[in-house]
Amino acid sequence: MMDFLMLDNGAACAVNAIPCVEMAEFRAALIDGVTKQNCRVSAFCALDINSEKRLLAVLLDSALKKLKLLSSKVGTAYPALTCDAPAFHWFEREIWEEHKILPEGHRWLKPIRFSAPDAEIGVTDYFTLQGEAAHEVAVGPVHAGVIEPGHFRFQCMGEDVHFLEIELGYQCRGVEKLLSGGPDVKTLHLIETAAGDSSIAAALNYCAIAETMNHVEVPPRAVALRTLALELERIANHIGDLGALAGDVAFLPTSSFCGRIRGDFLNMTAKLCGNRFGRNFVIPGGVRFDLDDAGIAELQKKVLQGEKELFHALGLMFDAPSVLDRLENTGVVTAETAREIGMVGVAARASGVALDVRRDLNCDDFIPETVRGGDVLSRALVRKKELVHSLDVVKRLLAELPSGEVQTPCPATLTASTLGIHLVEAWRGELCHLVLTDENGKIRYVKIVDPSFHNWFGLAMALRGQQISDFPICNKSFNLSYCGHDL
Amino acid sequence: MFEMLKARFFQGYRTGKFPPAAPNLPDHFCGRPQVEAHADIEAARALCPTHAWCEKAGAPAIDTGKCIFCGKCAACGVTFTREYRMAAMTREKLFADASPYTPEEQLDRGIRKMCGHSLKIRQVSAGGCAACELDFNVLNTLAWDMGRFGIQAVASPRHADAILVTGPVSRNMLLALKKTYEAMPKPCWVIASGACAVSGGIYAESPDVAGPVDKILPVDLYVPGCPPHPAVLLEALLRFIGRM
């Protein structure tokens, strides 16, 4: 399709340059792109452009290494895309909830986060089963562990979970709404706290957009330090997830060791900027703090020590037949399902779907780590493989940190009437930020698509035919963000 | 089993020495701020993302319950000290000005008596970014091991002495938070942990937020930070039960 506007990752375009086509053509192009051209939906949203309501789609074409944009005018309804391309289903529910635009024919239309002021969370129609062996188990929003709130309904036939329905929205605090009217002193903090465990990835996205709009080049040393911080974020979270999986199957040695080692890596991030989650480190134009030679040496020592202890701890777990038996063939999502519903990141790669922003948009020689099984074990193994890669990146960066400045002055303003978009492969998967400015250079609209937004339905699919007792490890193996989804 | 013993030996005993030793804080750590005499208050106010500037006895002060410790006002004559004993039992005690600071002591003998050796906490996450929860969870790891002080996170509010609330309390979590509180046997205590829970933080002005926590429940302990460093939170809990 020639109608798409092709953009590189991090590019910006004038609002008027976004192609606008008729709805029939729009639908055909998107369905063709997703089902035949191997594109994936990075963002699909409704917004006001030149005082008219439009649907805007951003597809990621990994063959061309481009983002493809297309829009269409929309009234109060349009024929749903979900029936032809299920990857749109969650996006269409979001658009319906936020803008009251009806995707006609969507078979499962209900709020995804109960964000309307008069919405009563949890009060909605749920799937139900009838019959002698049918029963329902409801869990949450407050769970037994120290985790975020969400409501889960298991529809069971005897011992088997027939369907799991996931109801989110409890963490909804209006991040996107608060961002409009910026940029101001709050903007970067709101971006960083959309999902508090992915602060570096999110800040990278916003800063890349701000830098493109202001034509600011980030110094090489700052680029390296940013990558270092991003990989440390990935390492800490992957270690935490593997430790938590070990904990959930009651394999305490790895659980205890990983809990501590994760902290060691968070402390390395804190070494960079004072905050264990990397807050206030990445700023438009570079990074806030440099790392001196003593700091580099200290980090090098700690990384080597941490790496040794980590793989020792993981070895115990992956060598234990009792652990493998519990993880193997539990919560399987096939590659076909993963592709069809638009899963991304670790969970998709564990189902054998090789998609990764690092390869698909950024560089040619990166090879995504995939495993074929699609089960809990595969999701654990993908993390283990990525840890090896990330630790190598960290060690290489520390050894070869470029010299020079760590900041280029970057104005706090944005270009007027411009759309900027950037994706980064955060530790869970692809994280997409889209920023649209008005004629005064103020933020009119920000769309954040957290990897969890793509993947929550994958967790529901993983539970089919499993038992309720499999839920904790399935959930851990995805470890999706509630706040990143609810915003 | 022999393998596991070897593993235990290899990994070593790694629980931190804090307390009683001082905690290991990062170089760029931002602790309780101090407003210097030469501070440019107007400039600092303009930089502050959470409107944390307030007045204490007529003098300018930073409300550390609102502060997210971004450190931007350090350029305007505010010194971020390494003081990590920041938590307080009264909201006003969180206001940091130029005067010398001593952490607030637990004066309630009842709490010391009832919880001094055993504090069971039910955590409720209410609209935050999950970082506060993650760093509370960290106290459970063997690096911090809060269990050695009798502090434990429990699954049911029925078993809890206190709830530790994180997040600005989204409108969608309001009912669940109230129900959790009501389910706790009394007497019980409420801990607001992190800037969002204490004051709404960066989300204070959102129409989707019903908090902060003390608008809904009587708060007994305020813990500043975004998120509070594990040392800040552990010190807060220990001081609250009279162990510091």
Side-chain angles (χ1 to χ4, degrees):
Chain A
M1 292 277 166
M2 293 307 292
D3 293 328
F4 285 105
L5 173 70
M6 305 277 193
L7 289 181
D8 286 321
N9 193 18
C13 68
V15 168
N16 289 331
I18 303 168
C20 184
V21 296
E22 287 302 312
M23 183 54 77
E25 204 184 325
F26 181 68
R27 289 186 77 255
L30 296 184
I31 293 166
D32 179 71
V34 171
T35 58
K36 300 211 177 73
Q37 312 294 329
N38 209 13
C39 294
R40 59 185 192 262
V41 193
S42 284
F44 183 57
C45 52
L47 37 75
D48 292 308
I49 294 178
N50 301 336
S51 338
E52 60 186 27
K53 192 66 103 188
R54 284 205 217 161
L55 292 177
L56 171 71
V58 180
L59 302 187
L60 192 160
D61 191 325
S62 56
L64 301 172
K65 295 192 187 296
K66 294 278 183 197
L67 295 165
K68 306 205 296 193
L69 277 68
L70 194 62
S71 76
S72 173
K73 255 199 284 188
V74 67
T76 52
Y78 69 99
L81 289 152
T82 300
C83 311
D84 300 294
F88 284 97
H89 76 130
W90 214 259
F91 290 100
E92 292 198 311
R93 280 173 61 174
E94 183 187 40
I95 291 171
W96 174 73
E97 181 178 3
E98 284 182 7
H99 301 273
K100 306 277 171 265
I101 298 170
L102 179 72
E104 286 162 342
H106 193 296
R107 299 200 189 130
W108 194 21
L109 212 49
K110 50 191 281 183
I112 60 166
R113 51 172 83 98
F114 299 86
S115 57
D118 55 344
E120 216 174 317
I121 187 147
V123 181
T124 179
D125 288 331
Y126 292 91
F127 268 129
T128 48
L129 284 180
Q130 312 262 306
E132 212 172 317
H135 64 101
E136 178 183 272
V137 177
V139 186
V142 179
H143 300 272
V146 180
I147 54 164
E148 296 181 73
H151 181 66
F152 300 92
R153 288 222 182 171
F154 299 89
Q155 302 297 333
C156 306
M157 293 292 276
E159 297 280 310
D160 297 332
V161 177
H162 186 72
F163 186 71
L164 160 65
E165 189 165 354
I166 302 171
E167 198 64 80
L168 299 170
Y170 293 92
Q171 297 282 63
C172 176
R173 58 214 184 279
V175 179
E176 289 176 343
K177 276 183 272 175
L178 291 173
L179 279 164
S180 62
D184 54 34
V185 286
K186 272 185 173 183
T187 304
L188 204 49
H189 302 292
L190 288 167
I191 293 278
E192 284 180 335
T193 54
D197 51 20
S198 309
S199 292
I200 295 283
L204 281 176
N205 265 350
Y206 176 77
C207 290
I209 292 169
E211 285 148 9
T212 302
M213 289 197 188
N214 287 300
H215 308 286
V216 166
E217 191 82 27
V218 180
R221 190 175 176 86
V223 173
L225 285 170
R226 284 176 170 191
T227 312
L228 179 69
L230 181 67
E231 294 309 319
L232 285 175
E233 184 172 85
R234 190 184 321 277
I235 292 167
N237 281 299
H238 280 0
I239 297 173
D241 287 350
L242 289 169
L245 265 179
D248 272 354
V249 298
F251 191 74
L252 297 184
T254 302
S255 153
S256 311
F257 299 146
C258 283
R260 191 258 306 159
I261 299 166
R262 168 179 172 271
D264 292 343
F265 279 91
L266 289 177
N267 288 338
M268 291 183 215
T269 302
K271 171 79 195 164
L272 294 176
C273 64
N275 184 295
R276 287 155 54 90
F277 296 88
R279 299 282 161 78
N280 314 305
F281 181 58
V282 180
I283 54 170
V287 295
R288 192 137 152 244
F289 301 102
D290 197 1
L291 187 64
D292 59 12
D293 289 343
I296 293 173
E298 187 189 326
L299 281 187
Q300 280 177 319
K301 204 174 128 211
K302 286 192 169 158
V303 169
L304 286 179
Q305 172 80 9
E307 183 180 31
K308 204 170 67 181
E309 290 167 356
L310 170 66
F311 288 109
H312 172 261
L314 293 182
L316 299 174
M317 170 177 164
F318 287 107
D319 283 345
S322 59
V323 173
L324 298 179
D325 180 54
R326 187 72 186 87
L327 304 186
E328 211 170 3
N329 295 325
T330 304
V332 177
V333 180
T334 62
E336 194 192 346
T337 302
R339 227 177 260 124
E340 197 178 6
I341 64 174
M343 275 165 62
V344 298
V346 168
R349 293 194 285 277
S351 292
V353 184
L355 40 86
D356 193 312
V357 172
R358 288 170 283 184
R359 182 203 60 183
D360 299 341
L361 288 175
N362 295 348
C363 65
D364 295 314
D365 54 355
F366 182 86
I367 302 163
E369 302 286 1
T370 56
V371 178
R372 272 206 217 131
D375 53 1
V376 174
L377 179 64
S378 303
R379 290 187 280 275
L381 287 172
V382 167
R383 287 183 171 89
K384 189 179 168 212
K385 286 177 162 201
E386 293 195 359
L387 280 169
V388 176
H389 172 83
S390 293
L391 283 160
D392 283 345
V393 173
V394 165
K395 284 187 285 185
R396 186 170 46 78
L397 286 169
L398 286 171
E400 303 165 3
L401 207 59
S403 56
E405 296 294 311
V406 294
Q407 277 175 36
T408 309
C410 181
T413 51
L414 298 172
T415 322
S417 304
T418 305
L419 178 91
I421 182 162
H422 193 267
L423 276 77
V424 73
E425 189 71 20
W427 62 275
R428 278 192 189 91
E430 68 172 61
L431 174 65
C432 170
H433 281 69
L434 184 150
V435 176
L436 180 81
T437 59
D438 65 13
E439 50 283 356
N440 300 315
K442 291 285 169 199
I443 295 174
R444 170 177 289 164
Y445 181 78
V446 174
K447 183 82 241 148
I448 302 170
V449 189
D450 191 270
S452 310
F453 189 90
H454 298 275
N455 280 5
W456 271 110
F457 194 65
L459 174 60
M461 296 303 289
L463 251 284
R464 289 196 179 177
Q466 303 294 299
Q467 305 207 332
I468 293 181
S469 55
D470 294 322
F471 178 69
I473 54 170
C474 288
N475 191 26
K476 275 288 155 35
S477 72
F478 278 81
N479 192 12
L480 301 176
S481 174
Y482 300 70
C483 53
H485 171 277
D486 293 347
L487 297 173
Chain B
M1 194 189 84
F2 208 65
E3 279 305 306
M4 290 306 153
L5 287 173
K6 257 167 66 189
R8 173 73 176 73
F9 184 74
F10 175 80
Q11 297 274 350
Y13 178 83
R14 299 292 287 274
T15 303
K17 303 269 188 293
F18 168 78
N24 223 341
L25 298 168
D27 303 341
H28 298 296
F29 177 75
C30 287
R32 187 177 165 98
Q34 176 140 1
V35 183
E36 304 295 352
H38 63 274
D40 182 348
I41 309 296
E42 278 319 301
R45 212 186 276 272
L47 286 178
C48 185
T50 51
H51 310 296
W53 284 88
C54 61
E55 274 199 1
K56 185 176 164 186
I62 295 175
D63 178 355
T64 59
K66 289 185 177 174
C67 180
I68 55 166
F69 300 84
C70 66
K72 281 185 203 145
C73 56
C76 311
V78 173
T79 305
F80 282 87
T81 66
R82 297 184 69 75
E83 178 58 81
Y84 64 94
R85 299 170 301 168
M86 289 191 279
M89 287 144 239
T90 43
R91 189 70 179 76
E92 293 70 34
K93 189 73 184 174
L94 295 178
F95 298 175
D97 58 4
S99 58
Y101 168 74
T102 42
E104 193 178 5
E105 240 181 279
Q106 178 58 277
L107 299 172
D108 187 332
R109 287 171 155 266
I111 295 176
R112 283 165 173 259
K113 204 171 159 201
M114 279 186 275
C115 305
H117 296 279
S118 165
L119 179 70
K120 306 291 175 201
I121 300 174
R122 169 65 254 193
Q123 199 273 330
V124 178
S125 166
C129 74
C132 288
E133 292 87 305
L134 289 167
D135 259 359
F136 173 58
N137 254 334
V138 155
L139 295 182
N140 252 331
T141 66
L142 48 81
W144 298 88
D145 191 19
M146 64 177 179
R148 67 199 149 124
F149 305 105
I151 308 174
Q152 191 193 357
V154 292
S156 169
R158 299 260 188 243
H159 303 155
D161 302 307
I163 46 171
L164 186 147
V165 188
T166 54
V169 189
S170 53
R171 207 182 35 200
N172 285 346
M173 266 307 282
L174 183 61
L175 180 64
L177 175 63
K178 283 184 181 164
K179 280 188 172 177
T180 308
Y181 178 75
E182 280 156 19
M184 287 202 299
K186 309 291 178 294
C188 63
W189 295 274
V190 178
I191 302 163
S193 182
C196 287
V198 175
S199 68
I202 199 95
Y203 296 101
E205 284 144 32
S206 170
D208 296 317
V209 161
V213 180
D214 63 7
K215 221 165 111 184
I216 299 148
L217 301 173
V219 174
D220 301 285
L221 177 65
Y222 296 95
V223 189
C226 184
H229 189 279
V232 174
L233 184 53
L234 183 57
E235 192 276 336
L237 296 174
L238 290 173
R239 189 145 46 84
F240 181 70
I241 57 174
R243 298 272 300 254
M244 284 288 253

